[in-house]
Amino acid sequence: MFSPLTDDRTPSSVVTGLVDDVLALAETWPAWDGTPRPSGDRVYTPHKAIRRVADHLVDHLAELEATLAGVDPLPDHWHASAVTTAADLAEFTAEDLAEARSRLTRLAEIWRLRLDSLTDDELDKSTGGWSPRELAFHVAESVYYAEVVGNLAPRTPA
């Protein structure tokens, strides 16, 4: 298992930055034309991108909390991005954006509070899996899902 690359940013700012970046792109998604965006053998839509980011935040938060409590994390049973549901193909509306904003902002806040409560030693302690710092940097990689959908704001002529 590879270890995520880390740097000198605070882990909580990496997670909150992820959410800021995803929501900045999502602001443009009510303009989505309904065409899934391909990436390799998978496709992404606004709803799927939000679902995958939220699932990633939840999954690794559960892993973080279990590890800090000294118990084995529950096994991961997500289908990840291999599955595109009917709900993923639905229109992405302003109401969906508001729901995504609330959901992702709250998840980022939970991550921020937890990570900021840890000392540097605790952030770097690993008990066989990734350290809390590495988990934060790994979670931030889920910006990928939103980047595949991209910025859908209408282009203005230069």
Side-chain angles (χ1 to χ4, degrees):
M1 177 165 66
F2 72 95
S3 293
L5 296 177
T6 63
D7 56 42
D8 61 350
R9 292 175 291 163
T10 62
S12 63
S13 72
V14 172
V15 175
T16 58
L18 154 71
V19 169
D20 291 344
D21 292 346
V22 168
L23 291 175
L25 288 169
E27 290 279 338
T28 71
W29 295 348
W32 181 53
D33 66 4
T35 304
R37 303 296 195 256
S39 179
D41 63 345
R42 299 180 182 200
V43 297
Y44 295 91
T45 67
H47 283 290
K48 185 174 181 177
I50 295 296
R51 176 174 62 82
R52 290 303 307 133
V53 171
D55 289 353
H56 216 175
L57 287 165
V58 168
D59 182 45
H60 289 295
L61 182 61
E63 179 183 355
L64 172 64
E65 290 300 329
T67 301
L68 292 173
V71 299
D72 290 334
L74 292 175
D76 175 357
H77 296 292
W78 298 111
H79 293 290
S81 59
V83 171
T84 301
T85 69
D88 291 335
L89 298 169
E91 176 184 11
F92 192 83
T93 65
E95 292 82 9
D96 294 314
L97 174 60
E99 292 292 316
R101 188 178 295 116
S102 291
R103 182 176 302 111
L104 296 182
T105 301
R106 282 185 169 87
L107 283 167
E109 178 69 357
I110 295 167
W111 272 91
R112 185 189 69 75
L113 292 169
R114 171 42 99 184
L115 292 170
D116 286 351
S117 75
L118 301 175
T119 66
D120 280 337
D121 287 342
E122 291 169 323
L123 284 168
D124 294 320
K125 183 178 179 183
S126 172
T127 58
W130 290 332
S131 70
R133 183 182 311 275
E134 290 170 326
L135 281 173
F137 278 79
H138 170 68
V139 163
E141 294 170 349
S142 65
V143 73
Y144 166 81
Y145 305 118
E147 289 173 341
V148 171
V149 176
N151 183 332
L152 303 180
R155 299 193 190 270
T156 55

